Amino acid sequence: MNIVVCVKQVPDTTEVKVDPQNHTLVRQGIPAIVSPFDKNALEEALKLREKHGGKVTVISMGPNQADAALKECLSIGADDAVLISDAAFSGADTLATARTLAAAIRKLGKVDMILCGKQAIDGDTAQVGPELAEQLGIAVVTYVAKIEVDGNVVTIQREHEEGYMVLETKLPVLATVVKSINVPRLATIKGRMKANKTQIAVWTANDIDIDSSLIGLNGSPTRVHRVFAPPQRSQGEMIEGTTTRDTVNKLLGKLTDAKLI
């Protein structure tokens, strides 16, 4: 099986800051990690490769420093990695991102399965996976908790709020996975050493067959109007009285004044 895993390098969620001028995430100087659900997708790809043979390729769209995320995936066990990086991709919304990833995946050749995390933890849109499947014209199943492959038939257990659905489809297919599907393995020292020596392939807009009007900011039908943190809530007031009845009467008085009762 030829499996592609789409990964995204994201800011560590405990360190997220927003630029007040252009309303974008500040990434410079902020610790970056592989989006956690993408690690579940990689783990599932490795398990499928171990069972059925084949190759696992990780692919990411992002700035040059995103090669660190791809090297981490290589150290965990991926066979190959491609970084799609070009200033022309800047400002892409989920649709423009899906178009770009689709063009790159077509260049890879025949692909049996594409795995993505259910969503990236910075945007939380959960849109790129399904949009990518639409661009490639293949089946898609979201919130996947289990995958079994028998020849060309794929049986998938899909998680939802009331339990699980069991679906059957055929290859090629794109699946977005949830955390419960597996426990991601850790990189080995040997894997890290090998990954650090690997030169990650970088593809620019000129390397993939795509209309320049469909990528980046120009190819994005949506725009971020404003990004902001909600105002900090004021602390509550401590009400004290000489007795319990006195305290309750003071509380009732304040609720009455505020027209809450």
Side-chain angles (χ1 to χ4, degrees), residues 91-132:
D93 67 357
T94 58
L95 179 58
T97 298
R99 289 170 178 155
T100 306
L101 288 171
I105 290 172
R106 291 190 191 100
K107 182 175 178 176
L108 289 174
K110 181 179 180 295
V111 174
D112 298 299
M113 184 178 294
I114 302 170
L115 295 177
C116 309
K118 72 167 185 174
Q119 63 197 60
I121 62 169
D122 55 352
D124 286 322
T125 65
Q127 294 174 352
V128 172
E131 288 177 345
L132 175 56

Side-chain angles (χ1 to χ4, degrees), residues 229-243:
Q232 186 174 2
R233 298 179 64 179
S234 59
Q235 294 184 350
E237 178 185 355
M238 290 293 295
I239 299 175
E240 297 180 356
T242 55
T243 64

Side-chain angles (χ1 to χ4, degrees), residues 147-174:
I147 301 174
E148 293 181 348
V149 178
D150 183 8
N152 195 45
V153 177
V154 185
T155 303
I156 291 175
Q157 191 176 90
R158 183 178 188 268
E159 185 179 80
H160 65 93
E161 61 273 11
E162 296 182 357
Y164 295 94
M165 300 170 60
V166 177
L167 306 173
E168 188 175 277
T169 185
K170 292 184 178 180
L171 298 175
V173 64
L174 184 149

Side-chain angles (χ1 to χ4, degrees), residues 17-36:
K17 297 179 182 177
V18 177
D19 187 322
Q21 299 299 319
N22 57 24
H23 310 304
T24 59
L25 292 177
V26 176
R27 296 180 184 271
Q28 188 173 4
I30 303 299
I33 59 174
V34 177
S35 190

Side-chain angles (χ1 to χ4, degrees), residues 52-86:
H52 302 284
K55 180 180 179 180
V56 174
T57 302
V58 288
I59 189 168
S60 183
M61 184 180 114
N64 290 331
Q65 57 264 34
D67 68 348
L70 293 175
K71 286 190 175 184
E72 182 178 353
C73 293
L74 289 173
S75 71
I76 292 171
D79 299 296
D80 202 1
V82 176
L83 174 62
I84 315 167
S85 185
D86 195 309

